[in-house]
Structures are given as structure tokens and as C-alpha cells.
Amino acid sequence: MNRRDFTSMTLGGLAGMALRPRVALAQGDLKVNGNRINAHIKALSEFGKNPEGGVSRVAYSDADRAGRAAVMEWMKAAKLDPVIDAAGNIIARRAGTEPSRKPLLFGSHIDSVPNGGNYDGDVGTLSAIEVAQTFAEHNVVTRHPLEIVIWQNEEGGLFGSRAVSGQIKPGELQTVSNSGKTVEQGIAFIGGDPSKLDTVKRKKGDIAGYFELHIEQGGILDKNNENIGVVEGIVGIKQWEVTVTGFQNHAGTTAMADRHDALLSAARFVEMVNRVVRSISGRQVGTVGRIQAFPGAPNVIPGKVVCSLELRDLDDSKIDSMFARIKREAKAIGDLNQTTFAYTELHTNVAAPSDARMRKIISDAAAGLGLTRRLMPSGAGHDAQAMATLGPMGMIFIPSVGGISHAPKEFSRPADITNGANVLLRSVLAADKLLD
Ligand code: GLV
Ligand code: MN
Ligand code: MN
């Protein structure tokens, strides 16, 4: 007898029926309350609301803390008992009938980028709570314990999920986040305890599996009129802080030929990064998204520039080879006017393939609901890639209208969100049967 037969036999067995009186009967038709998810999305959009119609709810801001408090109330209404772990993640455990099994996790994040939208992270988070609420309302009890998770500071570099996967490097807690607080200060601000970060670490095999529902953030599903994306893998992301050092001097008296202008070198660097990344075939991307010149006055030649560099690809080694070439070319740029480039790594999200069983579970769940689906990569980073180091990971995408994301105009249709949540619900139930 293979494991699948054994599992279905156990589930159909009398002992199982006694423990889960309605699960076997109700599972096939079980549906989330889509209106409730969409109402929660609207209510969450009030926290950090910006005039453009999106949110600025960056991690560790007052809006983030208030939004988390509201979401914890909704978790309680879903018969969950959320706790904040030492890393600042919100986690609620729902007991299973077989407590010795490793937990099955699902969730997302609610922090946003500066001037972001109302769907990135929120859709997966609020749908995860809705799935738990639907289970509670229909007395569904799974074999595995379930953990509904809201990761903290996803946008700043998967800090909450990487704390759990043990990937935070020494010094990373001193990273200054978009809130202005260091990650260490921020974790304390949202109710965690950064001195006990080690206590949240889990190791490979400590989870039965992880699902995350998310908006696509690109335009492929929308353009092709497809309902569900089954994620095949998530890009690796590396970010650096780049410091260009020149010589600060008077903008009126220093001849053009005598300048060591750090901003001029930085401008050449921005152009070069774009050229290098585009010169290679493939889907890799490279971005300089933040730049600041010092001292920052119209009549002073900048002596220092600090900017960011981000590289992404599904293949981590390609990121490394692009970075090596960028450093070489930057050195040549610096030599033109005696400026220097130095790099401090900000963080790394390693590329992560999804698990073949999880892809099939998601695809079958979507098919069972009559939804069209596409296997596709994720160009955005997700907490799921940290979870992939601990156990089988699966991600469900729904369409982003016009492919707009990380912007106030980000939008996903309520019906697509409901579809995604129903796929999540069915996937959790199927994984509960199939996974160890
Ligand atoms: C997260 O949204 C990222 O891809 O940066
Ligand atoms: Mn996200
Ligand atoms: Mn995002």
C-alpha cells in the first residue's frame, strides 16, 4: 500500500470520522467567504493610507503596528490565538488530530513598500485567516497542526521568515529599515525580542509544508486572461549598499578637469548596471532604486554618494557573475575621475524552486474549481523562499490588473482574490492528506 492509499484509508477510517465529524463530508464543497476577505482588505487599507489610494505601511511604522493589531483581532474572530514570536512574526496555531505531525504553515505579510498598494501581502494574509475561519465555521480539523503566519518586514528583506529559517547574518539587525528604525529596534517596537532571535529558528524538516497565496505583481495572468499561477520558483535577490567616495569641493572654483565628483561616477554606475544586466540573455534584472549625494547642496561637488544595487535571477550563480562584472566596470568608472566604489551586502534571498508535489496540489485544486492555470516563475521575492529551506513550498498567484505592483495603483479583482483563497483552502486540505 502506498502512502496515499494508507492516508485515505486512515482518513476514511472510523477513528478518523469520530475525531473529525464533518471534514470528510464538507471538504469538497467548502468555500471561503469572499466578501469577508475583500472587506478585510478594504479595512486594512485604512492603516497607512496614502493620498494616492495605496498605503505606506512600511515595517515598524506606527501604521504597521496598528495594522498588525487589527489583523490579530480578525484572527481571534477566526477562533485563532495569535502570538508574536521573538522575531516579531504573528503566528497562530490550530491543533490537528495528529499532534506529533509537523505543522503545515500558510500566510504572507502586511508590511508595504513606501507608497505601495493594498494587495501585496495583504491578499495572502487575509485569505489565510479566512481559510482558518472557514475551517472553524465548518468544524474542519486537519491531521497536521496548522500555523497561520504573518511575517514581519517582508519588504525590507524577508526578515521575519529568514529569522525562522536561520538565515539572518551577524550585523543584519543593524540594517536601517524604511521606518528609520534599525531592524533590531523595529522588532522590539512590534512586540518581538531581538535578543532571543535564536529561539524562533527551525531546521529543515521542522515543517510539513508551506503555502503562500500572493498577487502575481506582473501582468502575465492578466494579459492571458488566466485565473491562477502555479509558481515554479522564486528569484534569488541580492542587495548591496554602494558607497562612492570622491572629494568634496567648491562648485564654483574647481575646474571641471580637477573634480573627483562622486555623483558623476554614481550616474555612470547607474547607466552601466542597466547596460551590463541587459547585455546577457535571460530574465535577470538589476536596479539602482535609491541614491543620496552628500553633502547635497547645489554649490558643492558631492564628495560621497550612497546608493543601492539590487540583482535578481532564478539562478544565484548568475547574480554572482553579474555582480563580479559590475564591480570590474565600476572600478574603471572610478578610475576616470579618481573616485572609489565600496560595497556592503544588505541581504540575500536565495532562489527557491517550489516543490513538485505542492505544484500538483495547487494545480489540481485550481482545476477542481474550474479555474485556468499557468506554471510560472516569480520575479518578486517572497517569504516562501525562506520557508522552502525548511520543507516543501508551494505558491499560488492571482492576476494583478495591468501588472502594476509596488505602487498605489496595484489592484486585484475581488473575484480573483476569492478564487485564490479557495485554491489555498483546497490546497491546504489536500496537502494535509498527502504530506507526511
Ligand atoms: C518583494 O516584494 C520584492 O520582490 O522586493
Ligand atoms: Mn509581497
Ligand atoms: Mn512586495
Side-chain angles (χ1 to χ4, degrees), residues 53-75:
V55 284
S56 287
R57 195 168 56 239
V58 298
Y60 319 135
S61 61
D62 290 338
D64 181 38
R65 188 159 69 172
R68 286 162 54 92
V71 168
M72 285 174 80
E73 288 308 311
W74 299 334
M75 291 173 105

Side-chain angles (χ1 to χ4, degrees), residues 189-328:
F189 179 75
I190 58 173
D193 181 350
S195 71
K196 297 205 169 76
L197 219 54
D198 272 355
T199 64
V200 307
K201 270 194 205 168
R202 302 195 201 186
K203 54 185 190 317
K204 195 172 171 60
D206 276 354
I207 67 171
Y210 177 77
F211 283 112
E212 184 163 350
L213 167 65
H214 206 280
I215 58 169
E216 179 198 331
Q217 305 185 268
I220 295 170
L221 293 174
D222 188 39
K223 210 176 290 161
N224 292 286
N225 254 316
E226 287 163 329
N227 302 125
I228 295 291
V230 182
V231 174
E232 59 183 332
I234 307 174
V235 288
I237 304 176
K238 278 197 182 177
Q239 293 181 350
W240 295 263
E241 181 169 273
V242 183
T243 304
V244 191
T245 306
F247 189 83
Q248 182 180 327
N249 213 337
H250 196 291
T253 60
T254 313
M256 296 308 280
D258 296 337
R259 298 173 178 221
H260 310 299
D261 184 337
L263 186 53
L264 177 61
S265 296
R268 290 174 170 149
F269 178 81
V270 173
E271 191 281 329
M272 176 271 287
V273 166
N274 188 276
R275 177 170 45 76
V276 165
V277 174
R278 295 177 69 148
S279 70
I280 309 159
S281 67
R283 298 178 61 117
Q284 68 284 345
V285 288
T287 307
V288 177
R290 184 171 67 202
I291 190 161
Q292 197 176 4
F294 297 91
N299 57 351
V300 183
I301 298 162
K304 182 169 106 165
V305 167
V306 177
C307 66
S308 60
L309 168 65
E310 184 193 83
L311 299 173
R312 301 186 180 211
D313 193 70
L314 274 175
D315 177 359
D316 289 315
S317 66
K318 195 174 201 181
I319 294 178
D320 293 340
S321 65
M322 285 192 293
F323 182 51
R325 183 164 154 206
I326 285 169
K327 277 204 297 195
R328 260 198 322 275

Side-chain angles (χ1 to χ4, degrees), residues 120 154-155 217 406:
D120 177 359
E154 188 271 356
E155 297 292 2
Q217 305 185 268
H406 280 186

Side-chain angles (χ1 to χ4, degrees), residues 109 111-113 120-121 154-155 214 217 380-382 405-406 410:
H109 64 97
D111 63 301
S112 79
V113 293
D120 177 359
E154 188 271 356
E155 297 292 2
H214 206 280
Q217 305 185 268
H382 298 289
S405 185
H406 280 186
E410 178 177 271

